[in-house]
Amino acid sequence: YKSECPETLPAGNICNVIVTWVPTSKGLAQGVLAVQHSGRGGLVQTELKGIYQPLPPDAAKEVSGSIEMMPASLDFGTSSGGIALKRSIVLSNHSAEDVEIWDTNLDVPDQSGFSYDSQCPETLKPEETCNVVVTWVPTSKGLAQGVLAVQHSGKSGMAQTEVKGVFQPAPPEASTKDNSAIVGISPESMDFGTSAGGIPQVRSVVVSNHLQEPVKILGMSLNAPMQAGFSYKSECPDRK
């Protein structure tokens, strides 16, 4: 894999690493994304996993002709805050005709901290996919949840995904001791859930520098079997 990781991550800054999973082998796929750096600890890593369960032939026929949104539930897990978490939802046109995207709406309370950026065109052609990137900046302690809905001209007229996450702020003492002098990665475990295949699953891993000084990124690696189907792309600043 070719890493576009930055040479230096400034103090207080974050960057995203986009992990894509294209299931190829039935069953459990897993691996580890590791980032080596010059800060305390020298290494941060995230476990990657997902289960590929192909649809039976009869079920595959049911999917054909429909507009599908994956995943059906987008769980950001538990966050201690301070970092914007990003995840991607994939909208797919499995019909034989063009489908018009009429509207995208995120039904959540104002204090939930969820927002979205639709990268979908006005018209989605047969077997094309597009992404809706959901960002969560936790603001209110406890469970935050809502629904992202896309209205379209295809079969059923609407596709939707539940979004949720739990904001659990770190105690003041723990925040000072644990986060003030480290390089962090979030989430520590990324579970793609169960996939029937056919659609690339895209998620974001966030690397953050909580130090008071810049940190050099020394290397990035994805340790997973070739048949696992995982790959990554760094969206961190360009090398200088």
Side-chain angles (χ1 to χ4, degrees):
Y1 302 99
K2 179 181 178 182
S3 173
E4 299 176 0
C5 192
E7 183 175 334
T8 302
L9 187 61
N13 279 29
I14 66 173
C15 62
N16 292 314
V17 180
I18 306 301
V19 179
T20 301
W21 181 42
V22 182
T24 55
S25 297
K26 185 177 180 180
L28 177 65
Q30 54 189 153
V32 175
L33 177 73
V35 179
Q36 292 179 300
H37 57 82
S38 63
R40 179 182 172 187
L43 180 72
V44 288
Q45 57 187 27
T46 291
E47 176 193 20
L48 308 174
K49 61 182 178 179
I51 297 175
Y52 178 31
Q53 184 63 55
L55 289 172
D58 290 344
K61 291 179 181 179
E62 294 179 5
V63 171
S64 178
S66 69
I67 308 302
E68 185 181 30
M69 183 177 278
M70 291 287 289
S73 179
L74 188 63
D75 190 349
F76 284 80
T78 300
S79 172
S80 58
I83 299 174
L85 304 178
K86 295 179 181 288
R87 303 286 189 271
S88 291
I89 293 172
V90 181
L91 186 69
S92 305
N93 178 10
H94 294 296
S95 71
E97 301 177 351
D98 291 356
V99 169
E100 295 180 4
I101 306 299
W102 289 334
D103 184 49
T104 301
N105 179 60
L106 183 57
D107 185 12
V108 294
D110 292 338
Q111 68 273 20
S112 68
F114 289 112
S115 61
Y116 75 92
D117 176 25
S118 176
Q119 299 175 356
C120 292
E122 292 183 359
T123 301
L124 199 60
K125 296 184 179 300
E127 297 308 324
E128 278 191 343
T129 65
C130 64
N131 293 322
V132 179
V133 179
V134 179
T135 300
W136 183 40
V137 181
T139 55
S140 298
K141 184 177 180 180
L143 176 65
Q145 59 184 350
V147 174
L148 178 78
V150 176
Q151 291 182 304
H152 56 78
S153 64
K155 183 179 178 180
S156 80
M158 178 180 289
Q160 58 185 29
T161 289
E162 175 192 26
V163 295
K164 62 182 178 180
V166 177
F167 179 29
Q168 185 62 55
E173 292 183 1
S175 179
T176 300
K177 293 179 180 178
D178 298 336
N179 292 332
S180 63
I182 65 170
V183 174
I185 192 166
S186 177
E188 293 182 356
S189 179
M190 177 175 286
D191 189 348
F192 284 79
T194 299
S195 172
I199 302 174
Q201 305 294 311
V202 183
R203 305 283 189 275
S204 294
V205 174
V206 179
V207 179
S208 53
N209 180 9
H210 297 290
L211 294 167
Q212 300 300 313
E213 58 189 29
V215 166
K216 291 184 178 180
I217 303 299
L218 305 177
M220 183 177 296
S221 64
L222 179 54
N223 183 12
M226 185 176 298
Q227 67 270 23
F230 292 113
S231 61
Y232 76 90
K233 176 184 178 182
S234 172
E235 288 193 343
C236 295
D238 293 333
R239 292 179 182 271
K240 297 181 180 179

